[in-house]
Amino acid sequence: MNSSPSSSLPQTEKKSSETYRSISYLFSQGKLWELDALKDGPCVIERCSEKNWLGYLQTELLKKSEVYQPMVWAIVENRKLVYQRKLTSKLFMKQEIEKILDDHQPNWRVTMRLWEEEYRYALESNRLMSSSYRHLPTKEEQGAIYDLFASQQENPLEIWLQIHDDLLRSYESLGLEDEQEEMHEKDYTRRKHNYVPFIKSFIKALYEEGHLHNQLSL
């Protein structure tokens, strides 16, 4: 969302004094968060659930619309959900292709054993399986996957290899999203932590050990 503060200044002055910034909202860990480009860190708007967070978001946006004019809105899907959905489809397609290969080329696993071992090694060495998402697609999604597979003119083994490449990229993307989420959570904790008791105790200890006497005498 891009916004600028409303003002009673003349139109010519208003254009030169407008300040545009980005404000994003997201639902995470049972809370609605605001990410304001002009604030030090994320702010919790309201505790909510996955079922009602959009209602709280609507209320917050109505409040913002009374303060900021004009406003430009953009709704972007959570990238993690996009990667998870893509991963789900690829895992399902991999499973279905393997069934076809087992029926028509019973020895295909012997041929692909080395590649499969390299694939599993890449997953384990990079800890990509931590972001695995193994829910089955919906019936509609399964139908779309079958249609996509039926339209492919390539050899099933080539499709199987391509799916493995796609899976590695999806796992890697999910892993990066997990790292960013963890980093943001730690950063938020640091920003909101009350350091005053620690600072007081530290200064008191310095004073008691005589490290501040010279500074105080000045």
Side-chain angles (χ1 to χ4, degrees), residues 30-208:
K31 300 173 185 176
L32 174 62
W33 298 79
E34 179 187 76
L35 308 177
D36 192 327
L38 296 185
K39 294 182 179 179
D40 293 335
C43 300
V44 176
I45 301 299
E46 190 69 50
R47 291 186 177 274
C48 50
S49 66
E50 192 169 356
K51 295 182 179 180
N52 64 7
W53 75 275
L54 288 174
Y56 288 106
L57 173 60
Q58 183 179 16
T59 301
E60 183 65 22
L61 293 179
L62 289 174
K63 293 179 182 178
K64 282 288 191 293
S65 64
E66 297 175 357
V67 179
Y68 298 105
Q69 295 292 338
M71 305 182 75
V72 180
W73 306 98
I75 299 177
V76 182
E77 189 173 7
N78 188 324
R79 285 185 300 179
K80 189 171 182 177
L81 294 178
V82 174
Y83 295 140
Q84 287 176 340
R85 189 162 55 247
K86 182 177 180 180
L87 182 61
T88 298
S89 299
K90 293 298 180 181
L91 287 171
F92 180 77
M93 184 178 287
K94 175 179 179 291
Q95 175 183 318
E96 295 303 306
I97 291 177
E98 288 176 350
K99 290 179 181 178
I100 295 174
L101 290 170
D102 287 337
D103 292 338
H104 296 85
Q105 301 181 38
N107 296 325
W108 74 274
R109 293 185 184 274
V110 177
T111 307
M112 294 290 108
R113 179 181 299 171
L114 180 60
W115 206 100
E116 180 72 14
E117 290 176 354
E118 292 179 354
Y119 166 74
R120 294 188 178 279
Y121 175 78
L123 290 180
E124 294 172 0
S125 61
N126 293 284
R127 299 181 180 180
L128 299 179
M129 292 298 291
S130 61
S131 296
S132 61
Y133 187 76
R134 297 186 174 277
H135 293 178
L136 286 175
T138 63
K139 291 184 178 180
E140 292 78 8
E141 291 172 336
Q142 291 182 25
I145 292 171
Y146 283 131
D147 293 340
L148 177 63
F149 178 66
S151 65
Q152 299 287 337
Q153 301 298 323
E154 301 177 42
N155 185 297
L157 276 177
E158 294 179 358
I159 300 176
W160 184 83
L161 290 171
Q162 181 60 49
I163 287 176
H164 277 71
D165 289 338
D166 294 340
L167 284 172
L168 285 174
R169 285 193 290 269
S170 296
Y171 278 123
E172 184 177 3
S173 298
L174 273 173
L176 291 174
E177 289 297 315
D178 287 340
E179 290 178 4
Q180 288 185 354
E181 189 174 288
E182 183 179 356
M183 181 183 64
H184 293 159
E185 183 177 352
K186 290 181 179 179
D187 184 62
Y188 175 76
T189 301
R190 285 195 298 267
R191 291 174 183 272
K192 294 300 181 181
H193 183 73
N194 182 13
Y195 291 96
V196 173
F198 165 76
I199 294 173
K200 289 182 177 180
S201 299
F202 184 65
I203 293 176
K204 181 180 179 181
L206 290 176
Y207 177 78
E208 291 176 349

Side-chain angles (χ1 to χ4, degrees), residues 4-5 11 13-20 69-70:
S4 62
Q11 187 66 23
E13 295 184 20
K14 181 179 179 181
K15 288 183 179 180
S16 61
S17 63
E18 285 180 344
T19 301
Y20 289 88
Q69 295 292 338

